[in-house]
Amino acid sequence: MERRNPISKLLQPLLLVVACFGFGFSFSSDFYVDKNLETMSVTAFGDGFVAISENGCINWISADGKVVQFQAMQNVTFNTVAANEDFLISAGSDGKIYFANEDKVFKPIHSGTVKAVNCLTLFKNKVLAGYNSGELRTGSLDEKLEFANVELKGNILSLSSNEAYCYGLTDHGDIFYTSNGTEWNVIDFNEMYKGYYQSCTFSKILVTQNQIAVVGENTDGEPVLYFSSKGSVWTERPLVYTDEEGFKAKLNEIPRDIFYDTTNDQYLLLLAHGRLMTIPSCSHCHQLYKITEAEIQAISGNDKNIILVGENDYVQLINTELL
């Protein structure tokens, strides 16, 4: 008997394919991106969302998925965006970093370098920017960013923070964190778990109120997901799921992105071919759903909706109550 996808069925009325963008770009996340797709990132900000692209485009999206303002910045290549309750920051190549508040006016931040910015976060009124070769810079919005006192071996690919902690990772396997933005703890995951877990290359870290998650791949090329409560001890979550037909299977691709659905206390892994994998607290209850035929390239959300953006100006809002 054929099993219907409950998410796809319920989401049909919420589907918003925004063909009215008219700007000729597609969305993608700020890591693990198809080289043929234009790099973009999206984040929740205020009551809506903001999407940025590598050609300098900034789109302010309302809570119901409509583009309410479009900006184009000359000679800017954006590849990452982050926000807190008050400010939005975005950056990309040539070391250019910008910030804005609800007035939607972007102002430059003096990064102190022309290196490309891989990732950003805001923590305790400070901007943190990650670069290749383990370079981390930090500073206030109105001052020059300075080197942070942290020794790392790889390229910094991801940063994430909540009110109490900021975490980051490198592609070497370094996981680093701080509670004050000045003093840092660093663990070499691959060295610490040598002989217990396979060596891993991580691509994304995500901090929630009670847990830290990292995704990446091991030396066999298999996707991995690890959880930790404090960042010092890590536990692997096997990526076995139930598909739409009710069969058990093991995930065989690296997630493009990860997002935490606060309402339902579950993680969402963004996959190729328009699919999402739900990771609830129950380790035997993972589900994989086909959401759309479009390629989804980035995910974000707030306490009401999750936003998926993808190729050909695709935008879809998912009410968190339906997940």
Side-chain angles (χ1 to χ4, degrees):
M1 181 176 180
E2 182 180 1
R3 186 181 178 190
R4 298 295 299 276
N5 181 346
I7 290 184
S8 297
K9 183 177 180 180
L10 289 170
L11 291 183
Q12 290 175 358
L14 296 175
L15 179 60
L16 296 172
V17 180
V18 188
C20 60
F21 276 26
F23 305 122
F25 57 77
S26 59
F27 294 87
S28 65
S29 64
D30 56 359
F31 74 103
Y32 195 71
V33 176
D34 188 321
K35 293 182 180 179
N36 295 321
L37 296 174
E38 183 179 359
T39 301
M40 289 199 64
S41 184
V42 62
T43 187
F45 182 62
D47 294 330
F49 310 92
V50 177
I52 54 90
S53 72
E54 66 181 5
N55 62 7
C57 292
I58 305 161
N59 287 272
W60 300 80
I61 303 172
S62 66
D64 58 357
K66 297 178 181 178
V67 177
V68 295
Q69 183 172 327
F70 166 77
Q71 297 171 258
M73 302 187 70
Q74 299 296 321
N75 302 316
V76 176
T77 301
F78 288 131
N79 59 24
T80 182
V81 66
N84 60 14
E85 293 182 354
D86 301 312
F87 295 101
L88 176 86
I89 52 175
S90 186
S93 64
D94 302 324
K96 294 178 180 178
I97 306 176
Y98 294 85
F99 78 97
N101 54 27
E102 291 186 352
D103 66 7
K104 299 181 175 64
V105 178
F106 273 82
K107 304 175 182 65
I109 296 174
H110 189 7
S111 68
T113 180
V114 295
K115 291 184 178 180
V117 182
N118 294 333
C119 50
L120 292 167
T121 194
L122 287 158
F123 179 64
K124 295 189 181 297
N125 298 317
K126 297 284 188 179
V127 177
L128 285 87
Y131 304 81
N132 286 346
S133 302
E135 184 176 332
L136 180 68
R137 288 177 173 263
T138 181
S140 300
L141 294 171
D142 58 353
E143 66 183 24
K144 178 182 175 181
L145 302 188
E146 302 291 347
F147 285 103
N149 186 26
V150 54
E151 295 185 5
L152 303 168
K153 299 176 182 177
N155 302 315
I156 302 174
L157 299 186
S158 186
L159 293 164
S160 183
S161 59
N162 58 22
E163 294 83 359
Y165 290 94
C166 177
Y167 285 80
L169 58 75
T170 74
D171 55 5
H172 174 81
D174 297 320
I175 298 175
F176 55 99
Y177 57 96
T178 182
S179 61
N180 56 22
T182 303
E183 300 171 320
W184 293 86
N185 298 290
V186 182
I187 67 167
D188 185 331
F189 179 92
N190 292 328
E191 183 63 29
M192 176 181 290
Y193 288 102
K194 187 176 182 179
Y196 188 74
Y197 293 138
Q198 286 193 40
S199 293
C200 297
T201 299
F202 296 124
S203 54
K204 184 71 173 181
I205 192 165
L206 179 63
V207 180
T208 69
Q209 293 304 314
N210 301 309
Q211 195 166 236
I212 309 104
V214 295
V215 294
E217 64 179 310
N218 62 25
T219 50
D220 287 339
E222 298 174 332
V224 292
L225 171 63
Y226 287 92
F227 288 129
S228 176
S229 60
K230 297 295 184 180
S232 55
V233 179
W234 293 86
T235 303
E236 185 176 12
R237 173 67 70 92
L239 293 175
V240 176
Y241 64 89
T242 302
D243 65 18
E244 294 175 285
E245 283 71 42
F247 295 105
K248 292 288 186 180
K250 185 177 181 181
L251 189 67
N252 60 5
E253 65 180 273
I254 314 304
R256 291 180 169 178
D257 210 341
I258 182 172
F259 180 75
Y260 179 65
D261 170 20
T262 306
T263 302
N264 298 290
D265 186 25
Q266 65 180 352
Y267 291 85
L268 304 176
L269 299 182
L270 182 61
L271 306 171
H273 310 301
R275 295 170 299 147
L276 283 179
M277 184 172 172
T278 57
I279 309 291
S281 57
C282 170
S283 61
H284 304 289
C285 304
H286 304 162
Q287 299 283 329
L288 189 145
Y289 298 104
K290 177 79 171 181
I291 302 298
T292 175
E293 294 298 325
E295 283 293 345
I296 306 170
Q297 299 297 332
I299 183 172
S300 187
N302 51 32
D303 59 353
K304 295 180 180 178
N305 292 308
I306 290 167
I307 186 170
L308 305 173
V309 291
E311 64 179 358
N312 300 322
D313 305 333
Y314 177 90
V315 176
Q316 180 174 343
L317 294 184
I318 299 177
N319 188 313
T320 56
E321 294 180 358
L322 302 180
L323 289 173

